[in-house]
Amino acid sequence: MALDKTQENTHPINSLGFAKPPSETRVVVAMSGGVDSSVVAAKLADEGYDVVGVTLQLYDHGAALAKKGACCAGIDIHDARRVAEEKGFPHYVLDYENIFQDAVIDEFADSYLGGATPVPCIRCNERVKFKDLLETAKDLEADCMATGHYIQRKMGNRGAELHSAENAGKDQSYFLFSTTPEQLSYLRFPLGHLPNKEATRALAAEYGLSVADKPDSQDICFVPNGDYASVIEKLRPGSAEPGDIVDHEGVVRGKHNGVLHYTIGQRRGLGIGGLSEPLYVVKLDVDKKQVVVGPKEMLATRTIPVKEINWLGDEPFDSEKEWHLSVKVRSTRPPREAIIRPTGPTTAEVELLTPEEGVSPGQACVFYAPEGSRIYGGGWIWRG
């Protein structure tokens, strides 16, 4: 790893990029209690770094304990603390429940009720982990903060760059596109170069960690079993108002029990019988309380308006220039060739060279190099 420009070459560069011994390099590790972040903490502790583990309590212990497979739940706090005890470094639990509620959960509910399909994990990284927690790390006089995310930080000619993980199947770049250059200069991702999750678990076993065989977290941490609607109904009572399912010509095809139960591109569970061809959800009209359905070809989108763009390119995001990159419009889809035309300092129109189906407001549009692994940032898809 290249030397950070702020460091003088008075000592061999350590594995975190600082010109001083590991023992004099303090690193705060964001510990979720899972295998990944536990391996990061154990690895750095074994290398002699001054490790401080920090775990965030994001919601009530009692409620969290009742939900299996979620990060930042009560059992995960216990597991993180146990790893710290096993490896002999200090560990702190910070109560971020109010911050998480305001910055992530409330917006998730409101966005869903507005007909969007939000990605709360991105907002959590952006507004909680890489904002408030990062500032806490600086308050603890840490030289950097490390996480267990599968993504790579590489030093380029103009500073730190964000790159996809070595293992495409575990790559989390879609969820980290909003990481700013300033944050990136302070962050470290020690697992991004590993070939697969088995390699991480092998390290956990090598370090003798009690979480070596712990299952990966599933779903959004505060949404049990992926049931978004029930969570939103609890957060916003009375939000599941019934309405009509109409086709693209306005003909009523059925009834629904709340727009929040549907997503763009959905085919199953519409409750519409006697169709000559399959119909898909092509639009959610919250104001009219309508779920609009149509044939599959109506899902194809070529032009996408994007806002709140975080740009990570070397050159300014200039409205005088077009950017020929690849973009992802959903985390599970591969990047597709696109032309990005800036319309303002943080807005753009993205033209897909091949139309995509099921592009939904509230999802992220992440920019990638046409070749290679670099991420150029991204923004949020909106209606226009």
Side-chain angles (χ1 to χ4, degrees):
M1 180 181 291
L3 174 66
D4 282 358
K5 293 180 179 179
T6 56
Q7 300 298 313
E8 297 180 2
N9 192 17
T10 58
H11 186 277
I13 302 169
N14 63 34
S15 65
L16 293 178
F18 298 97
K20 55 184 177 180
S23 60
E24 297 177 13
T25 305
R26 175 169 293 177
V27 52
V28 164
V29 179
M31 300 183 68
S32 68
V35 179
D36 300 327
S37 58
S38 296
V39 166
V40 169
K43 179 178 186 296
L44 295 175
D46 272 22
E47 291 177 7
Y49 286 96
D50 179 10
V51 173
V52 178
V54 176
T55 301
L56 304 182
Q57 177 192 322
L58 299 182
Y59 36 75
D60 178 72
H61 275 194
L65 279 168
K67 179 182 177 342
K68 297 180 179 179
C71 72
C72 309
I75 188 64
D76 297 312
I77 292 172
H78 170 76
D79 287 342
R81 181 181 292 116
R82 184 164 56 169
V83 168
E85 291 173 351
E86 291 169 352
K87 304 309 294 184
F89 59 82
H91 174 259
Y92 301 97
V93 178
L94 304 181
D95 183 356
Y96 274 40
E97 187 174 342
N98 290 337
I99 294 172
F100 189 68
Q101 179 76 39
D102 295 341
V104 180
I105 296 180
D106 285 341
E107 184 188 76
F108 169 82
D110 294 337
S111 295
Y112 229 98
L113 290 175
T117 307
V119 191
C121 296
I122 297 176
R123 290 303 196 191
C124 182
N125 290 323
E126 173 189 325
R127 297 177 174 179
V128 180
K129 293 176 182 176
F130 291 175
K131 182 175 180 289
D132 294 289
L133 178 56
L134 190 144
E135 290 304 316
T136 297
K138 291 181 177 180
D139 291 341
L140 292 171
E141 299 182 345
D143 294 284
C144 62
M145 187 174 88
T147 78
H149 288 107
Y150 287 89
I151 196 166
Q152 298 186 81
R153 172 190 184 273
K154 298 182 179 181
M155 293 303 294
N157 294 330
R158 301 195 180 186
E161 299 174 352
L162 202 62
H163 287 254
S164 300
E166 185 70 24
N167 175 10
K170 292 294 292 182
D171 176 57
Q172 293 176 294
S173 58
Y174 184 85
F175 302 99
L176 296 170
F177 80 86
S178 61
T179 306
T180 67
E182 294 75 20
Q183 293 167 343
L184 192 55
S185 68
Y186 192 72
L187 290 163
R188 301 293 187 273
F189 308 107
L191 302 185
H193 68 287
L194 294 181
N196 49 48
K197 184 59 178 271
E198 288 69 30
T200 305
R201 291 195 182 278
L203 285 173
E206 178 183 327
Y207 296 132
L209 301 183
S210 53
V211 297
D213 297 322
K214 185 175 181 178
D216 291 343
S217 59
Q218 302 293 326
D219 301 319
I220 297 170
C221 63
F222 58 90
V223 181
N225 305 316
D227 188 356
Y228 304 113
S230 65
V231 171
I232 295 168
E233 288 184 75
K234 289 179 181 177
L235 292 169
R236 301 289 186 269
S239 60
E241 297 184 44
D244 293 329
I245 299 176
V246 302
D247 65 20
H248 56 289
E249 295 178 342
V251 177
V252 176
R253 295 296 193 109
K255 299 289 184 179
H256 66 77
N257 59 352
V259 171
L260 61 86
H261 292 281
Y262 300 84
T263 58
I264 301 296
Q266 180 177 336
R267 174 188 171 189
R268 299 182 184 279
L270 299 181
I272 304 174
L275 300 176
S276 59
E277 63 174 338
L279 294 181
Y280 299 77
V281 176
V282 298
K283 181 181 177 182
L284 298 173
D285 192 325
V286 177
D287 294 333
K288 295 181 180 180
K289 301 174 187 173
Q290 289 182 338
V291 174
V292 183
V293 296
K296 189 175 184 180
E297 54 264 28
M298 288 190 67
L299 290 171
T301 302
R302 183 180 289 276
T303 303
I304 305 172
V306 180
K307 63 180 180 178
E308 295 179 46
I309 289 172
N310 177 54
W311 179 246
L312 296 175
D314 294 333
E315 301 176 43
F317 191 68
D318 196 327
S319 59
E320 300 297 318
K321 182 173 181 178
E322 291 183 348
W323 300 90
H324 291 253
L325 299 170
S326 295
V327 302
K328 265 190 181 187
V329 295
R330 284 189 183 273
S331 63
T332 55
R333 295 184 182 175
R336 300 291 178 88
E337 288 183 280
I339 301 172
I340 299 166
R341 299 184 176 94
T343 56
T346 59
T347 59
E349 183 180 82
V350 175
E351 179 186 349
L352 301 173
L353 300 193
T354 302
E356 277 270 9
E357 296 178 352
V359 175
S360 175
Q363 293 284 299
C365 179
V366 182
F367 310 153
Y368 295 81
E371 297 180 0
S373 60
R374 187 173 179 186
I375 293 106
Y376 281 81
W380 295 93
I381 300 169
W382 65 304
R383 288 183 177 80

